[in-house]
Amino acid sequence: MVAGRFVGPFRPAARLSAVTTEIPLATGDCGAELAALVAGASIDVPDFPKPGVVFKDLMPLFADAEVFRRVIDGIAAHHGPGSFDVVAGVEARGFVVAAALAYAAGTGVVPIRKAGKLPRKALSASYALEYGEATLEVHEDAFVAGQRVLVVDDVLATGGTAAAAMDLVERAGGTVSGFTVLLELGFLNGRARLSSRAVRSLLTV
Ligand SMILES: O=P(O)(O)OC[C@H]1O[C@H](OP(=O)(O)OP(=O)(O)O)[C@H](O)[C@@H]1O
Ligand SMILES: Nc1ncnc2[nH]cnc12
């Protein structure tokens, strides 16, 4: 695998003009191979969802069977068997990562949902993110007391979403074992806000 090259059948350059093929050396917390996979399968979309924001689109990574499998298996291997009891994922893109990782690791998955979607009594946390504000919720009985919860998402930007998600996990009785994302926007300093947590990103840009 060469950093910056697409490894699967998906070739966004043929479909999307926004793709950048000159990708700088990829670095992250889980090794050069996983960093390169994420770098090679994300697309920068300027001014989405509002002017000034460069949106990191990871849909090509999810759509490429080989890249998706290698990324999910790589996360599972990095954490090691038995290092967490359940995966929690943040709606919506985090669900894709969370469900696949839970399946690969042999655990269950707890969805942390946007407000108003859960049918039973839920805990809420409101927060700001790079391009707006939102509220997350989790069922109050989502976790067995002390259950080790690996929280996952696709992107770490300001850290507002991650902080709210982990706060909810702990208020619901879980013990956060870590927070893992595919892609971190380092210039937004989200990691500093999560300094008491074990944060891992496959790729930091
Ligand atoms: O670090 P932050 O600044 O909080 O931003 C990161 C969050 O932003 C995106 O979610 P979004 O709310 O856009 O939801 P989506 O997955 O439904 O698109 C992304 O999936 C993260 O959850
Ligand atoms: N720039 C960005 N790209 C994709 N997802 C995000 N979530 C917050 N900021 C983001």
Side-chain angles (χ1 to χ4, degrees):
M1 172 64 205
V2 178
R5 292 269 178 81
F6 289 90
V7 299
F10 183 79
R11 294 286 183 278
R15 296 166 47 181
L16 296 165
S17 60
V19 72
T20 300
T21 51
E22 293 299 321
I23 296 169
L25 189 64
T27 58
D29 299 314
C30 304
E33 183 184 346
L34 290 178
L37 284 172
V38 178
S42 72
I43 297 174
D44 284 3
V45 183
D47 299 320
F48 183 89
K50 62 186 191 184
V53 174
V54 178
F55 190 85
K56 299 287 186 179
D57 181 16
L58 289 168
M59 299 302 160
L61 186 154
F62 300 145
D64 185 313
E66 185 190 345
V67 174
F68 188 46
R69 179 184 54 74
R70 287 170 65 183
V71 163
I72 295 299
D73 287 348
I75 297 172
H78 177 82
H79 287 279
S83 63
F84 53 88
D85 302 314
V86 66
V87 179
V90 182
E91 186 171 356
R93 287 173 269 151
F95 287 178
V96 180
V97 181
L101 178 61
Y103 186 83
T107 74
V109 59
V110 172
I112 298 177
R113 298 219 59 179
K114 297 276 169 59
K117 301 287 188 181
L118 289 171
R120 294 184 290 104
K121 196 166 178 191
L123 304 169
S124 297
S126 296
Y127 59 99
L129 67 161
E130 190 187 7
Y131 39 65
E133 294 177 358
T135 299
L136 289 176
E137 294 184 344
V138 71
H139 277 138
E140 63 174 3
D141 62 356
F143 305 103
V144 175
Q147 204 173 16
R148 296 167 302 163
V149 184
L150 180 63
V151 183
V152 302
D153 206 346
D154 64 332
V155 172
L156 169 62
T158 65
T161 305
M166 289 189 272
D167 175 55
L168 283 176
V169 167
E170 293 188 334
R171 283 165 54 203
T175 298
V176 174
S177 69
F179 176 72
T180 297
V181 288
L182 306 185
L183 177 60
E184 173 187 8
L185 306 181
F187 57 93
L188 290 175
N189 295 321
R191 190 181 285 246
R193 180 173 181 170
L194 310 174
S195 57
S196 63
R197 308 294 190 176
V199 176
R200 295 180 189 86
S201 66
L202 271 55
L203 172 67
T204 301
V205 295

